[in-house]
Amino acid sequence: MPCFKAVLLDWVGTLIVPKWGPGQIRPRGAQWIERSLRHLQRDVSESEVQRISEALSVAGQLSEVELGWAGADLSAAAHCESYLRWVDAAGIDSDLADQMYAALSDATDNPFAVDAEPTLAALKAAGLKVAIVSDIHFDIRPGFMKAGLEEYVDSFVLSFEQGVCKPDPAVFRVALDQLGVRPDEALMVGDRSSHDGAAVEAGIATLLVPPLTHVTEERLHLVLAACGLPVR
């Protein structure tokens, strides 16, 4: 019998690879930058991708940019403002900035980790409820629909819809209320101690997995093990 009645799952970094995520070999955000350049029919050489990546990295360390991300996912407008502050500081021209933002905000352009579907299916088969709890500025439901995963999710708790972000414990309480479970009946799964780890403040047991860097990585068997379910 499962140890929990519900599992709350983070999205970016847990189920999908962040577009602006650390690269294993290539520059940070290389695929996102390259695809945006290609869409505009621009130079997609590795040197150009690296130049843009480095410019974004340097800009991201500026105090006004870094502090500007606080609360960015509370609304689409707030996120866009924070993003523009970042790309402006990096010297990214408006056409490329717009294309990159369109890609960043496209829920259907995010392949899931290879073990996402079997893990979600196993949770559903065991009778557990599932909520996706994400700090995000757009609706991610279309991405789950495209991947055929929406049937496994009982609730989507998205910061821009709720007006509250992690690490505020209130966002986790929203998920509990929507699923109809107590804190001790749920498990939160995420990849960031600073944000997802805050679920413990709401009385929820929390499992942190390594941030996803490639869709072929398999880490979600840890979720099944934590729930007392058979691991494939």
Side-chain angles (χ1 to χ4, degrees):
M1 185 174 183
C3 301
F4 301 101
K5 291 185 178 180
V7 174
L8 317 182
L9 285 159
D10 172 53
W11 187 53
V12 178
T14 301
L15 298 178
I16 66 165
V17 177
K19 284 191 168 70
W20 179 243
Q24 294 176 309
I25 300 176
R26 303 188 67 199
R28 185 173 186 183
Q31 187 174 30
W32 169 45
I33 296 168
E34 184 179 61
R35 291 178 68 177
S36 298
L37 288 170
R38 182 171 287 110
H39 189 273
L40 295 173
Q41 298 184 324
R42 293 191 182 182
D43 176 16
V44 293
S45 64
E46 194 68 9
S47 61
E48 177 64 2
V49 171
Q50 183 166 351
R51 182 191 69 79
I52 294 170
S53 175
E54 289 178 353
L56 289 169
S57 294
V58 171
Q61 295 173 13
L62 298 175
S63 58
E64 62 269 26
V65 173
E66 187 174 9
L67 293 174
W69 284 111
D73 285 312
L74 290 174
S75 70
H79 189 277
C80 185
E81 181 180 349
S82 299
Y83 171 81
L84 290 175
R85 185 183 297 111
W86 178 37
V87 294
D88 284 348
I92 306 300
D93 67 86
S94 60
D95 287 343
L96 179 57
D98 289 347
Q99 180 55 43
M100 290 171 61
Y101 197 64
L104 187 67
S105 306
D106 183 358
T108 63
D109 184 32
N110 294 282
F112 284 81
V114 294
D115 56 352
E117 193 280 334
T119 299
L120 290 170
L123 294 174
K124 179 63 75 173
L128 278 78
K129 296 181 179 180
V130 171
I132 304 300
V133 184
S134 179
D135 282 357
I136 199 69
H137 62 288
F138 59 91
D139 188 1
I140 65 176
R141 295 174 183 85
F144 281 77
M145 293 179 65
K146 179 182 178 181
L149 301 178
E150 77 280 5
E151 64 180 294
Y152 303 123
V153 181
D154 299 284
S155 176
F156 286 89
V157 180
L158 311 180
S159 60
F160 85 102
E161 293 181 339
Q162 300 299 328
V164 62
C165 287
K166 307 169 193 174
D168 190 331
V171 72
F172 304 107
R173 297 191 186 104
V174 170
L176 295 176
D177 289 344
Q178 291 189 3
L179 296 181
V181 297
R182 302 191 309 267
D184 62 301
E185 295 176 325
L187 173 70
M188 174 64 201
V189 180
D191 68 305
R192 293 189 295 172
S193 59
S194 59
H195 289 63
D196 305 307
V200 299
E201 302 298 330
I204 303 171
T206 302
L207 170 65
L208 295 175
V209 296
L212 187 67
T213 60
H214 199 281
V215 293
T216 59
E217 294 172 2
E218 298 191 29
R219 309 114 61 244
L220 298 180
H221 61 277
L222 298 171
V223 180
L224 301 181
C227 292
L229 299 175
V231 177
R232 61 183 179 87

